[in-house]
Amino acid sequence: MADWYYRLKVAGVTRETEIILTAETKGIPFAAALAQVLGQKRYVVARKSVKAYMEHPIWVKDVSITTEGEQKLCLDGPDIERIKGHNVLLLDDVISTGGSIAALRTLCEQAGGRVIGQAAALAEGGAAEREDIIYLEKLPLFDAQ
C-alpha cells in the first residue's frame, strides 16, 4: 500500500481526493485499504445491478473483458449525494481495455462528481502505456498457443 500511496501522492491526487469510487467486488478491498491510508471513513461502491433497497438509482452499461456479457454499474441516491460536487478518485483492481473505468467515470459524472484520477492495482496489456491511469504493476499478456 505504501508504493501505491506514494504514486498517488506524486500524481497529486491524495490531497485532492474527497471520495473513492470503485466497482464491486474486486475493487472493494483496495478502496477500503486506500480510504484508511487517506484517513477517510467511507468509500463508494458502484453495484453491478440495481438492488431492491435503492432509491432513485442511476446506472450505466459496462462491457468488460473480465466479466462475460454486458453488465450495469449502479449508484443509489445516498451515494449520488456523497459524490455530487466532490473530487473523486476512480479505483479498480485491473485495467485492461478500460471499459470498467470508463463506466465508473460516466457514472461519477452523472452523479455530479469531478474525476481527479484513475487508479488500479494492475494495468494489463496496452493499459500499462496509458498516461491517464496510476497503477502499481504491469500485468503481462502471453500469447495462447
Side-chain angles (χ1 to χ4, degrees):
M1 186 54 66
D3 286 344
W4 207 2
Y5 177 75
Y6 177 75
R7 289 181 191 197
L8 293 169
K9 188 172 183 177
V10 167
V13 297
T14 55
R15 67 180 172 276
E16 295 178 42
T17 299
E18 296 174 296
I19 300 288
I20 297 168
L21 174 62
T22 192
E24 73 176 351
T25 58
K26 295 177 206 157
I28 295 172
F30 300 116
L34 185 58
Q36 185 176 28
V37 168
L38 295 178
Q40 296 181 0
K41 295 180 182 182
R42 300 190 74 110
Y43 54 91
V44 174
V45 178
R47 303 294 176 184
K48 291 186 178 179
S49 62
V50 175
K51 308 296 183 192
Y53 64 81
M54 291 184 166
E55 298 176 13
H56 312 292
I58 60 172
W59 58 273
V60 297
K61 292 180 182 179
D62 175 25
V63 178
S64 170
I65 66 169
T66 59
T67 304
E68 189 174 330
E70 186 178 272
Q71 64 182 359
K72 291 180 183 178
L73 289 180
C74 313
L75 287 175
D76 189 15
D79 287 332
I80 294 167
E81 289 302 314
R82 284 185 187 94
I83 290 171
K84 186 185 292 183
H86 289 95
N87 293 333
V88 179
L89 174 64
L90 306 179
L91 187 60
D92 206 353
D93 61 328
V94 178
I95 297 178
S96 297
T97 63
S100 294
I101 206 83
L104 281 174
R105 174 181 281 280
T106 300
L107 198 58
C108 176
E109 291 169 352
Q110 282 183 5
R114 292 181 298 277
V115 175
I116 60 158
Q118 302 175 123
L122 301 169
E124 182 177 53
E129 308 305 320
R130 290 175 53 173
E131 295 183 11
D132 64 329
I133 61 171
I134 303 159
Y135 63 92
L136 282 175
E137 294 291 333
K138 182 176 180 178
L139 184 62
L141 293 177
F142 299 98
D143 290 330
Q145 301 268 339

